[in-house]
Amino acid sequence: MPTDLAPASPEVIYPLAGKRVWVAGHRGMVGQAIVRQLASEGCEVLTAGRAEADLTRQAEVEAWMGRVKPDAIFVAAANVGGSLANDNYAADFLYDNLMIEANIVEAAYRAGVGKLMMLGSSCIYPKFAPQPITEDALLTGALEPTNQWYAIAKITGIKLGQAYRRQHGFDVISAMPTNLYGHGDNFDLNTSHVLPALIRKAHEAKVTGAASFTIWGTGSPRREFLHADDCAAACVHLMKVYSDAEHVNVGSGEDIAIYDLATLVAEVVGFTGEIVRDASKPDGTPRKLMSAHRLRALGWGPRITLQVGIEGVYRAFASSVDQARDV
Ligand code: GFB
């Protein structure tokens, strides 16, 4: 690792030990990973099921927050999906995500919460942002049209945090993870992100003896991937060491072409047939590699390589498919 990227050992300015920490969205892939990560922090983890508080309903969020009064909050709750779902459910992606963020920030401020982390996405950046994308590329150009609805909601999340910090001195920080994958991911081919889709397609092609499986688009777009457990570790780290208005990219610092990713998944799965490209499906943003410089300077780097991460997710996926068949 170049010395200028060598992680420093930053001071812990917000210890989590002894605190009551709400993970909003604890059933999602990232929320689950944050809950697991917090287990070693000596804090009390709070969660709210949908029956206790529908996060898109302001009155429910205010009532829950006023009653429970957490010390700190991770906002990992979001309506998410792959490029096709973003395009098909534009209203849901914009409305749900805006409401979740606005309701939680306002209610948290009113309840006197000490610190809050917003989680966003690398799709906040312009479609043709210079690569690797530094944090200051935000709002410098037009967004990728297919996921602009989700992106606008997530940009608003950053701005909400900055506004509450500026007007009220509320300690809100924002983390912008790259494309994530991991345990508890969505494997529905119509709504999933690319990695779980490829795992499922390669597995099904292998078990049915198919000659090929098909990927969307040209296979040439490049994406950066980070395991959800690494993302959770980075978020917990930032919560403890970072307090500023500027958002922080959370990524691995490396990207891969989608066709090469499909080849890697096929190898892990043990599928030896052909990988076919369906150019009628959209490619989306050509490249989305974020700069990891700020996060490295704050003392954090990833631990799970893409190959090892995919192997773990595939093992879990294959055994859940086996269990479902045995039932
Ligand atoms: O993961 P994905 O849907 O989202 O697609 P984005 C990434 C790339 O993989 C695109 C290609 O170029 C897809 O065309 N791809 C190939 C596939 N085969 C498949 C497949 O079977 N399924 C899927 N889903 N893609 C997301 C946003 O954009 O980025 C989210 O939609 C979020 O909102 C996330 O912001 C970080 O990377 O294009």
Side-chain angles (χ1 to χ4, degrees), residues 83 86 121 123 147 150 179 192 194 201 216 223 282-283 288:
S83 30
N86 270 265
S121 158
C123 72
N147 58 24
Y150 180 72
N179 287 37
S192 76
V194 60
K201 287 177 181 180
W216 295 352
R223 290 291 184 273
D283 271 344
K288 212 164 39 168

Side-chain angles (χ1 to χ4, degrees), residues 12 37 58-59 65 105 114 186 248 320 326:
V12 172
Q37 184 70 28
Q58 188 182 34
M65 194 86 73
V105 171
N186 168 18
V248 181
S320 73
D326 294 344

Side-chain angles (χ1 to χ4, degrees), residues 22 24-25 48 50 53-58 60-61 77 96 99-101 103-104:
W22 178 30
R50 185 165 292 219
D54 177 342
L55 303 181
T56 63
R57 299 281 157 232
Q58 188 182 34
E60 293 187 30
V61 177
D96 289 351
M99 289 302 113
I100 290 168
E101 293 162 355
N103 291 340
I104 294 179

Side-chain angles (χ1 to χ4, degrees), residues 129-142:
Q131 314 276 320
I133 311 171
T134 50
E135 284 83 353
D136 60 8
L138 184 66
L139 294 173
T140 56

Side-chain angles (χ1 to χ4, degrees), residues 117-159:
M117 173 183 278
M118 282 286 185
L119 272 98
S121 158
S122 57
C123 72
I124 58 165
Y125 291 115
K127 175 168 183 164
F128 297 112
Q131 314 276 320
I133 311 171
T134 50
E135 284 83 353
D136 60 8
L138 184 66
L139 294 173
T140 56
L143 299 165
E144 153 63 30
T146 49
N147 58 24
Q148 60 178 315
W149 322 102
Y150 180 72
I152 289 284
K154 289 296 169 184
I155 293 170
T156 306
I158 296 175
K159 290 295 164 191

Side-chain angles (χ1 to χ4, degrees), residues 164-182:
Y164 277 71
R165 174 179 287 276
R166 185 186 172 105
Q167 186 179 337
H168 301 300
F170 184 13
D171 192 359
V172 181
I173 58 173
S174 294
M176 294 300 121
T178 186
N179 287 37
L180 302 174
Y181 69 99

